[in-house]
């Protein structure tokens, strides 16, 4: 039976090619994902470990206990502590570390990095071992800086050039004194690192005389643990926290592995979808191969082969196909992993260089996936093959599916679909997080149910295309009849395309509706023309609002100033605003009372009011960070959103209790409204500071939606693999169908159907099947988009369903294009059949 299985594989190698390709693509996706994520994770871990080469023990400030009603705060690391650390037994040196956000502009005045990756720090003395200089000298005074080699390469800055930059304050224009190398992950990700001398860094980062951390290096032969024990003895107990460099490296490696795990799981989900689609192709192929070998299999049974042996022979064929696909898929996946690593640089997300990592687990996974998926998909056709009675050897026609089997299938499909719909509808009544798992379960059940029902659905839906197909005469009529001749085959072919389009359509509907919700949120709640903030989301100096107030054309401003407080014994936060201007700068629906922020009168959002049991007129006592208490009154309850929520009170009331007031954002209203000229004027008023963003409503909306757009584009790209596999399925089914119907096609040619007519017939058949899958996929996608939107709407008040009709039409046209393209080779093959040879075909 093994020799028979091998003979059948080689005899049908052309027909199995598409199956091999489908499995190979899935395996390549899986192995490529594993190779890529393992390679990047390994490179980042090794790079981060290098960053701790100069740190055997890190000393961080301890946390003070809260005193009375005051909120706790961190201790300070002083210069004396650095000196004490350097003198402990076993310490080779101690370096005081200061870091903070530093916005550096390129030659065009634009911020380097995305804000979060733009960092600054201190260069220790004249020869800092952490940052080897490649040219220039250590910075001296506030007018000199060092820049990293990658930033110098990207921007073209050289020693002696003047650079525009900002550190939470006015624009600075220091000179580049030197260039250094670093393994800093932010730099590898496209950001920048600027170094000042220690005194300048402390002054700029508001750390005068203190440090964020002390990095201690051990002498040769002294262990991390021994050095840490000595530091714990020498430094004030409770004032510091010590951690070994080994532990820091392990924690960093664990964090990197954890972050890569999320990416790996996401990519593997899409690989799983591609493989799931591929199972339809495998099952379809082996079903057709079994049907074409009815007489052969029946003769095997007649000469003594048992049912188990017949099934085993089909599974052996699947094993060979899966093994070949796994080998090719693994090699392709390794290439994909290498290619993705190289492509990272084109997306401004360069990563440290490192060797390609192909683990035994990746190899084992590739073979397990390729072989098991193929054998599982071929198992049902193998069982059907074993059931062929020996008497079937007298005829080449195997018994068709009985009416009873179709009734059972339709009943099961209806039950599973009904259960899926019920679970999805139930999930829409839950809150966002609670409904996610039921929604996923219901979606899977519904997709499976629709797949089971697809043979039943194929007849009425394809019949709906009959009026259009009549335009093509005999070819159109034959195409319609061929499409419904074997409903199971049509179902398996169309379902592969249906799954890909279901996911693409659902994501598009949700993304479009969410984009509309974000636009409405920005438009409805913000009356200000501009919102000013730091590029990295950090605090703004109050000087920014003062500068904006004095700008020409500015009619109203208000900061948004966060402060930690205590309410009812628990920690919460409040937002300080300009009570006189906030009503002019925002527009919130007021649910109770009035939107009045002045003196001790505050407004709260609906969720906060419900949490504390407040309403308009309620009074409560609040404890500020300085420990002082104050009784406040709720003037009104407003409807909050993702951008604005919580307790708002007047900055005049809040400021006396803050030792270092800082603003999150500043809202600005101008007399001329939003325009490029006004925006340029505000930017100029702030000194053309690269660290500060001036955003209008559209900018805010685009910023909020940028992540959504990026994710959607990634999903489109990843799901394209599933659609490609579906295309291979259509090609495979049509090619094998042409072979199966060789005699029939020969007869059609003999009685007058020309080659163009044959081509048209095959193409129309493919088009009808593809459009059938497209209609099902788009329909299911819209339903899932609506259902998922109900979950999103439970947390985003402005969400409403928006159907992107233009994109849905494009998806339907693309499904038709898939059908036409997939039919090119099978149609050409059918048209080239020799008439006499086809008529005599068995």
């Amino acid at each position: 039976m093994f020799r028979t299985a091998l003979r059948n594989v080689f005899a049908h190698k052309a027909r199995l090619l598409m199956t091999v390709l489908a499995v190979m693509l899935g395996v390549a996706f899986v192995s490529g994902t594993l190779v890529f994520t393992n390679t990047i994770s390994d490179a980042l871990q090794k790079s981060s470990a290098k960053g701790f080469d100069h740190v055997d023990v890190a000393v961080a400030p301890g946390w003070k206990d809260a005193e009375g009603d005051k909120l706790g705060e961190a201790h300070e690391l002083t210069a004396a502590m650095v000196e004490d650390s350097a003198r402990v037994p076993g310490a080779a040196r101690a370096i005081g570390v200061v870091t903070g956000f530093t916005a550096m502009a390129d030659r065009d005045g634009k911020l380097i990095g995305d804000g979060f990756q733009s960092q600054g720090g201190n260069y220790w003395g004249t020869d800092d071992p952490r940052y080897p200089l490649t040219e220039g000298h250590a910075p001296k005074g506030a007018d000199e800086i060092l820049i990293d080699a990658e930033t110098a390469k990207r921007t073209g800055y050289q020693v002696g050039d003047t650079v525009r930059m900002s550190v939470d304050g006015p624009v600075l224009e220091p000179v580049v004194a030197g260039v250094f190398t670093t393994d800093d992950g932010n730099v590898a990700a496209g950001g920048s690192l600027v170094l000042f001398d220690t005194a300048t860094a402390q002054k700029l980062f508001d750390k005068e005389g203190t440090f964020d951390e002390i990095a201690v290096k051990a002498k040769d032969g002294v262990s991390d643990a021994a050095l840490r024990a000595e530091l714990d003895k020498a430094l004030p107990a409770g004032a510091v926290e010590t951690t070994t460099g080994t532990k820091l490296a392990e924690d960093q490696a664990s964090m990197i592995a954890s972050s890569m795990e999320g990416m790996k799981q996401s990519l593997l989900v899409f690989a799983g979808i591609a493989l799931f689609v591929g199972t339809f192709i495998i099952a379809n192929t082996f079903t057709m191969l079994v049907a074409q070998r009815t007489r052969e299999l029946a003769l095997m049974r007649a000469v003594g082969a048992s049912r188990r042996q017949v099934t085993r022979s089909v599974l052996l064929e699947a094993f060979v196909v899966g093994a070949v696909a796994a080998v090719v898929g693994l090699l392709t996946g390794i290439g994909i992993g290498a290619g993705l690593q190289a492509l990272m640089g084109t997306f401004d997300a360069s990563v440290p260089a490192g060797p390609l990592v192909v683990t035994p687990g990746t190899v084992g996974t590739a073979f397990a996936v390729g072989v098991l998926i193929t054998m599982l998909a071929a198992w049902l056709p193998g069982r059907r093959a074993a059931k062929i009675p020996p008497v079937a050897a007298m005829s080449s026609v195997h018994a068709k599916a009985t009416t009873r089997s179709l009734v059972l299938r339709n009943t099961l499909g209806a039950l599973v679909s009904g259960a899926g719909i019920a679970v999805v509808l139930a999930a829409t009544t839950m809150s966002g997080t609670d409904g996610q798992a039921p929604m996923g379960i219901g979606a899977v059940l519904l997709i499976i149910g629709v797949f089971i029902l697809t043979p039943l659905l194929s007849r009425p839906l394809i019949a709906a295309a009959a009026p259009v197909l009549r335009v093509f005469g005999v070819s159109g009529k034959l195409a319609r009849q061929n499409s419904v001749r074997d409903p199971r085959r049509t179902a398996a072919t169309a379902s592969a395309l249906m799954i890909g389009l279901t996911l693409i359509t659902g994501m598009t509907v949700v993304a479009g509706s969410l984009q509309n919700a974000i636009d409405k949120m920005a438009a409805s709640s913000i009356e200000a023309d501009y919102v000013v903030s730091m590029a990295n989301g950090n605090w703004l100096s109050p000087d920014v609002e003062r500068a904006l107030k004095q700008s020409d054309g500015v009619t109203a401003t208000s900061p948004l100033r966060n402060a930690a407080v205590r309410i009812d014994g628990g920690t919460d936060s409040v937002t300080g605003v300009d009570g006189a201007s906030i009503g002019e700068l925002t527009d919130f629906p007021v649910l109770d009372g009035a939107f009045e922020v002045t003196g001790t009168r505050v407004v709260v959002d609906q969720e906060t009011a419900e949490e504390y049991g407040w309403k308009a007129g309620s009074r409560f006592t609040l404890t500020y960070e300085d420990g002082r208490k104050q009784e406040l009154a709720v003037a009104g309850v407003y409807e909050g959103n993702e951008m604005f929520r919580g307790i708002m009170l007047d900055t005049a009331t809040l400021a006396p209790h803050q030792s270092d007031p800082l603003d999150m954002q500043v809202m600005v209203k101008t007399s001329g409204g939003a325009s490029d000229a006004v925006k340029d004027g505000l930017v100029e008023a702030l000194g053309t500071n690269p660290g500060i963003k001036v955003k209008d409503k559209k900018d805010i909306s685009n910023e909020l939606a940028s992540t959504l757009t990026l994710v959607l584009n990634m999903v489109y790209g990843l799901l394209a693999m599933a659609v490609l596999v579906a295309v291979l399925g259509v090609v495979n089914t049509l090619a094998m169908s042409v072979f199966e119907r060789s005699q029939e096609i020969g007869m059609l040619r003999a009685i007058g159907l020309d080659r163009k007519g044959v081509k048209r017939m095959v193409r129309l058949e493919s088009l009808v099947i593809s459009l059938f899958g497209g209609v099902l996929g788009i329909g299911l996608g819209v339903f899932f988009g609506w259902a998922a939107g109900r979950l999103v709407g439970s947390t985003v008040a402005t969400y409403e369903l928006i159907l992107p009709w233009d994109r849905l039409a494009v998806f339907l046209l693309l499904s038709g294009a898939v059908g036409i393209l997939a039919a090119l080779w099978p149609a050409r093959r059918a048209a080239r059949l020799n008439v006499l040879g086809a008529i005599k075909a068995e």
Side-chain angles (χ1 to χ4, degrees), residues 14-34:
R15 288 179 240 173
L16 289 168
L17 177 62
M18 295 299 174
T19 301
V20 171
L21 285 175
V23 180
M24 180 272 289
L25 285 173
V27 172
F29 205 157
V30 171
S31 54
T33 295
L34 296 175

Side-chain angles (χ1 to χ4, degrees), residues 270 273 447 498-508 715 719 777 781:
F270 290 99
I273 292 169
I447 289 176
M498 175 193 77
I499 292 170
L501 281 176
T502 295
L503 298 171
I504 290 173
T505 303
M507 285 293 299
T508 302
V715 169
L719 287 177

Side-chain angles (χ1 to χ4, degrees), residues 45 175 255 485 507 536 658 670 710 742:
Q45 287 178 23
V175 173
M255 186 177 69
R485 176 185 296 182
M507 285 293 299
N536 68 334
Q658 292 185 291
T670 60
L710 177 63
S742 296

Side-chain angles (χ1 to χ4, degrees), residues 149-469:
E150 285 298 318
T151 297
K153 181 180 177 181
R154 286 194 296 264
T155 61
Y157 285 134
Q158 298 176 349
V159 173
D161 287 347
T162 299
V163 177
R164 287 181 62 81
M165 56 184 297
S166 170
V167 181
D168 189 25
V171 175
L172 307 173
E173 293 189 339
V175 173
V176 177
V179 178
F180 63 92
T181 58
T182 178
D183 294 311
D184 188 281
N186 287 317
V187 173
S192 62
L193 179 60
V194 178
L195 299 179
F196 309 88
D197 67 62
T198 299
T200 301
Q202 289 176 320
K203 181 178 179 181
L204 290 173
F205 299 135
D206 197 24
K207 298 281 184 181
E208 292 189 69
T210 65
F211 300 91
D212 295 307
E213 185 183 271
I214 301 172
V216 188
K217 181 69 176 175
K219 292 179 179 177
D220 293 341
V222 178
S223 69
D224 293 2
L227 179 59
R228 182 186 180 190
E230 293 294 339
L231 287 166
D232 287 338
K233 292 178 188 176
L235 299 175
V240 300
E241 294 178 357
T242 57
T243 310
T244 64
T246 303
K247 180 67 166 60
L248 290 173
E250 289 173 353
D251 291 344
Q252 185 80 355
S254 177
M255 186 177 69
I256 290 170
S258 177
S259 63
M260 292 304 296
E261 192 65 27
M263 179 191 293
K264 182 187 296 185
Q265 295 300 328
S266 299
L267 292 173
L268 288 176
V269 165
F270 290 99
I273 292 169
L275 284 166
F276 182 58
V277 171
T279 59
F280 293 106
I281 300 174
I282 301 165
N284 222 12
T285 302
F286 278 94
T287 298
M288 296 175 76
L289 284 174
V290 166
Q292 291 169 11
R293 287 157 44 201
T294 298
R295 177 175 292 182
E296 174 189 328
L297 294 172
L299 285 172
M300 288 172 60
R301 290 291 313 283
V303 296
S306 67
R307 285 188 175 185
R308 182 173 295 178
Q309 286 178 309
V310 172
T311 302
R312 197 178 298 156
S313 72
V314 175
L315 290 178
L316 281 171
E317 292 178 43
F319 174 82
V320 174
V321 170
V324 171
V327 171
V328 179
L330 176 61
L331 295 176
T332 306
I334 293 172
I336 290 173
L340 287 174
Q341 184 185 17
L343 279 174
M344 290 290 283
T346 64
F347 295 103
D348 295 327
S350 55
V351 294
L356 212 59
V357 178
V358 184
T359 65
T362 300
V363 177
T365 301
F367 277 92
V369 167
V371 174
L372 288 178
I373 291 293
T374 308
M375 292 183 70
L376 284 173
W379 176 73
L380 191 58
R383 281 194 70 223
R384 287 179 185 159
K387 290 181 179 180
I388 297 175
V391 73
M394 302 301 296
S395 170
S396 61
V397 181
H398 180 44
K400 298 291 182 182
T402 63
T403 304
R404 180 169 174 266
S405 68
L406 288 174
V407 169
L408 287 173
R409 175 169 181 152
N410 295 337
T411 303
L412 178 62
L415 290 173
V416 175
S417 299
I421 292 172
V423 174
V424 169
L425 292 178
T428 60
T429 63
M430 304 177 184
S431 63
T433 52
D434 294 338
Q436 288 177 2
M439 181 75 71
I441 293 170
V444 171
L445 287 173
L446 182 53
I447 289 176
I448 293 173
V450 170
F451 166 66
I452 297 172
L453 285 175
T454 306
L456 177 66
L457 298 173
S458 64
R459 291 186 179 276
L461 288 179
I462 291 176
V468 178
L469 293 175

Side-chain angles (χ1 to χ4, degrees), residues 68-69 71 565-572 612 620-623 629:
D69 290 319
L71 299 175
V565 295
R566 282 207 176 115
I567 303 173
D568 293 345
T571 302
D572 208 324
Y612 289 106
F620 64 96
T621 300
L622 176 148
T623 305
K629 297 181 179 181

Side-chain angles (χ1 to χ4, degrees), residues 564-608:
V565 295
R566 282 207 176 115
I567 303 173
D568 293 345
T571 302
D572 208 324
S573 65
V574 296
T575 302
V577 298
D578 186 316
S581 303
I582 192 64
E584 186 180 349
L585 296 166
T586 59
D587 182 19
F588 298 105
V590 179
L591 308 176
D592 185 20
F595 197 87
E596 180 185 352
V597 184
T598 179
T600 58
R601 293 176 65 78
V602 303
V603 294
V604 300
D605 72 302
Q606 185 179 16
E607 287 186 13
T608 303

